[in-house]
């Protein structure tokens, strides 16, 4: 048996949406991006959503919105993907790495409070694996300190904490539709906010400074009106080539309909894994999963002699991973304040196991059996 670690679940529904875009012959930034943004905002219950080509782009632009003076500090967990922290460097800001909560691996709130100083302007909590950071505690603290909160929601799509969607607690929420994530558009991302005024320049920032709906303008190309200056645009802000396109949005519109069932299936599989490993004394779940309560993207375990177990699974056709090597040990970040003792050691025990919506019960049982065998 060969068991994949991640797999995008795509099918005829996505192909049909792409076909419609082909028939319209409009596959760049256009009506499907608008539609996907509207539906995403509704789904997440946010006032405004804007589509970009990755969560990395979303994080870069999110930090740009506040015009922080260069050299100011941003608090960021050490246990996250590169982009969470590179977005800080893109903005000429300084990352301050925070250790992880030992149980749930989100940003450790005590370490976060300890490392705060007057130069800190923002914090980027990551809902690691989909497990929510206690935003009801983080938000009042951030407000009191007057710092901005950007939620990195790359591991969650539709997950809630205390009845409120993740991504809508902070000033900005950033989602990822990269092919391995909760749902996919190939590559893609979404920025959401409940303060539309904050996003007034985002459409220009994501498309080289141009805030214009070319799809609407194109409808008027044939108007014989001398005032129809359809080519004109004004550049007022520095923008990047970060827009989502209609092909990606086509896939996204179809995926969004399936997302609740994806989340449900992941929860079922996690429950199966948890039951399966509960009697294994040397293998613990990565964190205290509550699959009946929260939506997860990642399942993993902690084990001593991790590398032996990885080799054992590999020799049985089971793909594994490690999410992540803590950023505070990466060469590019050595010059910044780190001291994340717990996670730098603990991450050596992490193994990510196969989890995706198309994973069958037989495959999950097979993985559990191989763990038991080990
Ligand atoms: C995947 C990921 C990102 C980046 O997402 P892209 O859409 O690939 O840019 C950012 N943060 C975290 C925590 C991630 O896992």
């Amino acid at each position: 048996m060969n068991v994949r670690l991640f797999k995008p679940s795509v099918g005829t529904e996505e192909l049909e949406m792409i076909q419609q875009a082909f028939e319209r012959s409009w596959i760049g930034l256009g009506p499907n991006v608008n539609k996907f943004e509207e539906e995403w905002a509704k789904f997440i219950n946010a006032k405004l959503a804007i589509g970009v080509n990755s969560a990395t782009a979303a994080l870069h632009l999110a930090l740009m919105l506040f015009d922080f003076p260069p050299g100011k500090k941003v608090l960021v967990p050490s246990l996250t993907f590169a982009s969470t922290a590179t977005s800080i460097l893109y903005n000429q800001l300084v990352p301050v790495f925070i250790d992880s909560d030992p149980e749930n691996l989100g940003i450790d709130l005590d370490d976060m409070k300890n490392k705060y100083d007057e130069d800190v302007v923002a914090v980027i909590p990551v809902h690691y694996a989909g497990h929510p950071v206690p935003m009801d505690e983080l938000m009042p603290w951030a407000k009191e300190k007057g710092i901005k909160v950007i939620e990195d929601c790359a591991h969650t799509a539709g997950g809630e904490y205390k009845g409120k969607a993740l991504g809508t607690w902070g000033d900005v929420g950033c989602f990822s539709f990269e092919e391995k994530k909760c749902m996919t558009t190939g590559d893609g991302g979404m920025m959401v906010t409940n303060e539309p005024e904050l996003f007034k320049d985002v459409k220009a920032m994501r498309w080289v400074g141009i805030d214009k709906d070319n799809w609407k303008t194109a409808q008027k190309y044939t108007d014989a009106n001398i005032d129809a200056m359809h080519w004109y645009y004004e550049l007022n802000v520095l923008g990047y080539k970060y827009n989502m396109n209609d092909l990606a949005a086509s896939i996204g519109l179809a995926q969004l309909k399936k997302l609740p069932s994806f989340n449900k299936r992941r929860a079922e599989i996690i429950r199966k894994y948890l039951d399966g490993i509960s009697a294994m004394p040397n293998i613990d779940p990565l964190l205290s999963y509550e699959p009946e309560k929260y939506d997860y993207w990642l399942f993993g375990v902690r084990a001593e002699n991790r590398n032996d177990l990885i080799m054992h699974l590999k020799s049985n056709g089971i793909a594994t991973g490690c999410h992540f090597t803590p950023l505070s040990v990466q060469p590019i970040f050595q010059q910044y304040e780190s001291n994340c003792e717990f996670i730098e050691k603990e991450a050596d025990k992490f193994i990510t196991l196969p989890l995706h919506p198309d994973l069958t019960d037989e495959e999950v049982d097979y993985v559990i059996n191989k763990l038991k065998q080990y």
Side-chain angles (χ1 to χ4, degrees):
M1 201 182 275
N2 253 309
V3 189
R4 275 178 73 162
L5 184 57
F6 299 113
K7 188 173 89 60
S9 180
V10 287
T12 50
E13 296 83 357
E14 286 78 6
L15 277 175
E16 270 165 32
M17 291 301 293
I18 290 172
Q19 172 122 21
Q20 285 175 25
F22 272 36
E23 281 160 10
R24 199 186 291 127
S25 265
W26 195 280
I27 57 179
L29 178 58
N32 275 0
V33 173
N34 293 342
K35 186 147 187 268
F36 185 34
E37 288 169 345
E38 274 166 32
E39 293 199 5
W40 188 263
K42 214 183 295 162
F43 175 69
I44 284 298
N45 202 10
K47 286 203 180 121
L48 189 60
I50 295 183
V52 288
N53 61 13
S54 67
T56 307
L59 289 161
H60 179 181
L61 297 186
L63 273 174
M64 256 179 90
L65 292 176
F66 303 104
D67 286 322
F68 296 129
K72 292 289 181 185
K73 297 177 181 170
V74 179
L75 307 171
V76 61
S78 177
L79 186 70
T80 183
F81 184 63
S83 311
T84 322
T86 55
S87 70
I88 300 168
L89 301 186
Y90 299 159
N91 280 281
Q92 278 78 52
L93 298 164
V94 175
V96 176
F97 291 102
I98 310 296
D99 215 330
S100 302
D101 172 81
E103 200 170 327
N104 289 321
L105 305 178
I107 191 166
D108 185 287
L109 296 185
D110 292 330
D111 195 42
M112 176 187 78
K113 290 171 189 173
N114 283 335
K115 286 177 180 160
Y116 170 85
D117 69 28
E118 305 245 292
D119 283 329
V120 171
V121 290
V123 57
I124 313 182
V126 178
H127 304 295
Y128 177 84
H131 197 90
V133 168
M135 297 305 287
D136 53 341
E137 189 181 337
L138 188 146
M139 288 310 297
W141 175 81
K143 274 223 170 73
E144 179 206 312
K145 298 291 180 196
I147 69 173
K148 300 298 175 186
V149 180
I150 295 163
E151 292 178 77
D152 182 336
C153 296
H155 296 185
T156 180
E160 291 186 351
Y161 178 65
K162 304 210 164 165
K164 193 173 155 83
L166 296 174
T168 63
W169 285 81
D171 297 280
V172 185
C174 299
F175 293 87
S176 174
F177 307 128
E178 193 259 353
E179 80 147 7
K180 297 184 285 299
K181 297 292 166 62
C182 303
M183 61 162 263
T184 187
T185 60
D187 267 310
M190 196 68 88
M191 302 171 69
V192 304
T193 190
N194 274 322
E195 302 161 63
E197 184 57 20
L198 184 61
F199 274 18
K200 67 182 183 343
D201 291 331
V202 171
K203 284 199 170 164
M205 290 162 76
R206 71 157 174 196
W207 190 37
V208 294
I210 305 171
D211 180 3
K212 185 172 144 177
D213 195 332
N214 259 7
W215 163 250
K216 281 195 188 127
T217 328
Q219 317 297 303
K220 294 184 197 147
Y221 280 172
T222 48
D223 282 5
N225 177 353
I226 198 156
D227 297 324
M229 289 169 60
H230 59 79
W231 65 88
Y232 183 76
Y233 53 77
E234 214 171 72
L235 301 176
N236 294 302
V237 298
L238 177 63
Y240 293 80
K241 178 61 189 178
Y242 279 174
N243 61 280
M244 180 176 274
N245 67 48
D246 264 24
L247 282 185
S250 301
I251 302 173
L253 284 164
Q255 287 269 294
L256 181 52
K257 292 208 177 80
K258 302 177 180 179
L259 180 57
S261 68
F262 290 169
N263 282 335
K264 188 163 159 277
R265 179 61 189 151
R266 283 195 175 89
E268 284 167 12
I269 296 168
I270 289 174
R271 174 46 63 202
K272 222 167 148 53
Y273 272 133
L274 290 173
D275 293 347
I277 66 171
S278 63
M280 300 180 198
N282 301 317
I283 295 176
D284 294 317
L286 194 57
L287 50 93
S288 45
Y289 287 95
E290 296 177 74
E292 287 79 20
K293 196 164 167 192
Y294 301 125
D295 289 325
Y296 293 95
W297 166 66
L298 191 81
F299 185 80
V301 294
R302 299 190 207 182
E304 307 286 346
N305 307 322
R306 174 214 25 204
N307 293 351
D308 295 344
L309 178 50
I310 288 176
M311 288 313 292
H312 172 74
L313 294 173
K314 196 173 176 162
S315 64
N316 284 289
I318 299 166
T320 57
C322 172
H323 295 82
F324 301 88
T325 301
L327 295 182
S328 50
V329 308
Q330 294 284 7
I332 192 178
F333 295 121
Q334 283 318 295
Q335 58 184 298
Y336 304 105
E337 184 180 337
S338 57
N339 190 17
C340 300
E341 257 170 56
F342 167 74
I343 198 61
E344 288 178 9
K345 242 176 132 249
E346 191 72 6
D348 287 342
K349 300 182 192 165
F350 293 0
I351 306 178
T352 305
L353 294 178
L355 181 61
H356 57 80
D358 294 338
L359 202 64
T360 64
D361 285 350
E362 292 68 37
E363 288 174 312
V364 180
D365 288 334
Y366 177 76
V367 176
I368 292 168
N369 275 329
K370 292 301 162 189
L371 288 169
K372 201 179 283 167
Q373 197 180 60
Y374 174 80

